């Protein structure tokens, strides 16, 4: 007999996506911590049991370490806000993680531009 498939295989993705949308709104409208500036939520990963969610964020300006501390300090408040919005049995504990992807991309682009300009000078 085949393994039983989940009734909604994309449910974890849908829940993660909804958490990301709701958190974006909650952080922008209800979080009054001055350490949290222009935060962009890059993605949410939910554990299979929905007990925990890693929330990846990036910053336009500000200190990533301070912002991460502020967001993790506000995680209970934000989770409570999610309880009121999400209609799921378990709202996960939130863990905020600074996402350096955009930083690394900018560094890579700078390296590529440097290589291209040095090659152009050689030709």
């Amino acid at each position: 007999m085949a393994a039983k498939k989940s009734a909604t295989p994309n449910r974890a993705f849908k829940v993660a996506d909804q958490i990301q949308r709701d958190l974006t709104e909650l952080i922008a409208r209800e979080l009054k911590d001055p350490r949290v500036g222009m935060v962009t939520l890059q993605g949410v990963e939910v554990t299979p049991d929905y007990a925990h969610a890693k929330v990846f964020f990036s910053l336009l300006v500000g200190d990533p370490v301070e912002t991460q501390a502020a967001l993790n300090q506000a995680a209970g408040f934000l989770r409570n806000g999610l309880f009121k919005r999400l209609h799921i049995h378990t709202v996960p504990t939130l863990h905020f993680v600074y996402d350096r992807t955009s930083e690394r991309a900018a560094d890579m682009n700078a390296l590529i531009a440097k290589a291209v300009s040095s090659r152009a000078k050689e030709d």
Side-chain angles (χ1 to χ4, degrees):
M1 186 167 166
K4 184 179 175 260
K5 289 211 179 220
S6 167
T8 49
N10 294 330
R11 185 170 187 261
F13 293 113
K14 287 178 182 171
V15 168
D17 188 53
Q18 191 60 51
I19 287 172
Q20 184 173 345
R21 278 184 275 156
D22 287 346
L23 275 178
T24 298
E25 209 172 286
L26 283 167
I27 290 169
R29 294 190 180 158
E30 297 183 30
L31 193 60
K32 303 293 184 230
D33 193 319
R35 296 173 295 172
V36 178
M38 308 234 0
V39 170
T40 303
L41 299 185
Q42 304 289 54
V44 175
E45 288 178 5
V46 182
T47 57
D49 62 356
Y50 300 101
H52 298 274
K54 261 190 199 173
V55 183
F56 296 93
F57 72 93
S58 65
L59 283 176
L60 208 52
V61 290
D63 179 4
V65 176
E66 267 189 32
T67 303
Q68 184 170 334
L71 287 169
N72 280 312
Q73 203 172 351
F77 168 77
L78 293 169
R79 184 175 184 232
N80 201 31
L82 287 177
F83 264 118
K84 295 170 186 161
R85 292 162 173 253
L86 292 174
H87 303 289
I88 60 174
H89 181 68
T90 307
V91 174
T93 301
L94 305 171
H95 308 278
F96 290 89
V97 180
Y98 180 59
D99 183 0
R100 290 188 155 71
T101 304
S102 54
E103 242 177 56
R104 285 198 297 266
D107 291 346
M108 265 315 180
N109 286 336
L111 285 172
I112 292 166
K114 191 175 175 182
V116 168
S117 72
S118 70
R119 181 175 282 168
K121 285 176 193 167
E122 290 169 7
D123 289 343

